[in-house]
């Protein structure tokens, strides 16, 4: 009885996000993420509920201008609901689709990348570090002011020292690092370094890595943008190395 749905904002395999009015605080709008276990296959329900609860608990402890704040979490019937700050603007995916040739200028891309570095550095500096694991254009919101906010922590996880692999392999093909597919150790801050490198690649070249024949077969940046600055190309190349130890060791680096 506290929130009144205004309209649907979006949704995916993990649930639906609605725009809503907070009836206790007139004039305040929020985003409500709904997770309905009943629509999932039986074998997926337990981990989906666990992931959703983890997202709520994780976000409740985080405070950064580049993250949407969580204000409430509750069950209703068989569904679970996460109430968050409503981020008004467009996603980076929408911005890229509307841009000439589907790409941004290098200065525009670097402004966004620097803000994402700041958010990721904050996440990785936690104890334990939070690994986002799903950095892609649709999870980056662009406010009218130019500020960037990272959204959707559905598959983020805490780094657990001593673990040799992730218990669950998840991510978006093209943007997910090789270790998210299993067999190369657990995801750590260098996993987000990889995805950030691919995201910067997408912004500068306009080439969608999700369209690649295989997730890791991306044409060189110089082939698509011959006048790209060498230092930018070199940074992207190092960030998206297959072996984690060959990437930058941290977002700060």
């Amino acid at each position: 009885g506290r929130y009144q749905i205004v309209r649907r904002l979006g949704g995916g395999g993990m649930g639906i996000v609605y725009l809503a009015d907070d009836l206790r605080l007139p004039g305040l709008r929020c985003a409500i993420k709904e997770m309905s276990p009943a629509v999932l296959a039986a074998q997926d329900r337990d981990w989906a509920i666990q992931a959703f609860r983890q997202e709520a608990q994780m976000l409740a402890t985080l405070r950064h201008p580049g993250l949407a704040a969580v204000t409430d979490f509750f069950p209703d019937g068989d569904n679970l609901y996460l109430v968050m700050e409503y981020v008004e603007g467009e996603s980076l995916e929408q911005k890229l689709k509307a841009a000439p040739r589907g790409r941004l200028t290098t200065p525009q891309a670097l402004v966004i990348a620097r803000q994402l570095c700041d958010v990721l550095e904050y996440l990785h500096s936690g104890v334990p570090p939070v690994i986002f694991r799903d950095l892609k254009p649709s999870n980056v919101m662009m406010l009218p002011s130019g500020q960037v906010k990272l959204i959707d922590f559905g598959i983020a996880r805490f780094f657990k020292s001593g673990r040799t692999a992730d218990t669950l392999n998840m991510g978006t093909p093209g943007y997910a690092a090789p270790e998210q597919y299993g067999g190369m150790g657990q995801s750590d801050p260098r996993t987000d370094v990889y995805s950030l490198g691919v995201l910067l690649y997408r912004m500068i070249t306009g080439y969608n890595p999700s369209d690649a024949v295989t997730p890791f077969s991306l044409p060189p940046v110089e082939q698509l943008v011959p006048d790209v600055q060498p230092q930018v190309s070199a940074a992207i190349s190092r960030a998206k190395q297959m072996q984690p130890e060959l990437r930058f060791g941290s977002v700060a680096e």
Side-chain angles (χ1 to χ4, degrees), residues 94-105 108 202-207:
Q94 292 170 315
K95 186 176 180 67
L96 287 169
K97 287 181 178 178
R101 291 175 289 177
R103 64 186 182 95
L104 307 180
T105 66
Q108 288 174 322
R202 165 84 185 274
M203 288 193 286
I204 287 177
T205 67
Y207 185 94

Side-chain angles (χ1 to χ4, degrees), residues 220-238:
V221 177
E222 310 79 34
Q223 181 180 319
L224 301 174
V225 185
D227 61 347
V228 66
Q229 292 92 328
Q231 66 271 29
V232 174
S233 175
I236 291 173
S237 178
R238 182 174 173 188

Side-chain angles (χ1 to χ4, degrees), residues 28-99:
L28 181 65
R29 288 200 153 173
C30 53
I32 300 184
K33 187 173 183 179
E34 175 189 70
M35 206 275 280
S36 304
V39 305
L40 301 174
Q43 67 270 21
D44 295 333
R45 288 173 192 162
D46 286 346
W47 71 256
I49 292 171
Q50 180 183 354
F52 196 81
R53 289 186 181 277
Q54 176 179 284
E55 178 180 10
Q57 294 164 359
M58 185 182 293
L59 286 172
T61 66
L62 302 175
R63 292 291 183 271
H64 189 280
L67 299 173
V70 166
T71 58
D72 203 357
F73 176 74
F74 59 89
D76 185 56
D78 293 331
N79 296 343
L80 296 172
Y81 294 89
L82 180 62
V83 185
M84 300 168 287
E85 167 195 359
Y86 171 51
V87 181
E88 190 168 4
E90 63 176 351
S91 70
L92 179 56
E93 183 71 47
Q94 292 170 315
K95 186 176 180 67
L96 287 169
K97 287 181 178 178

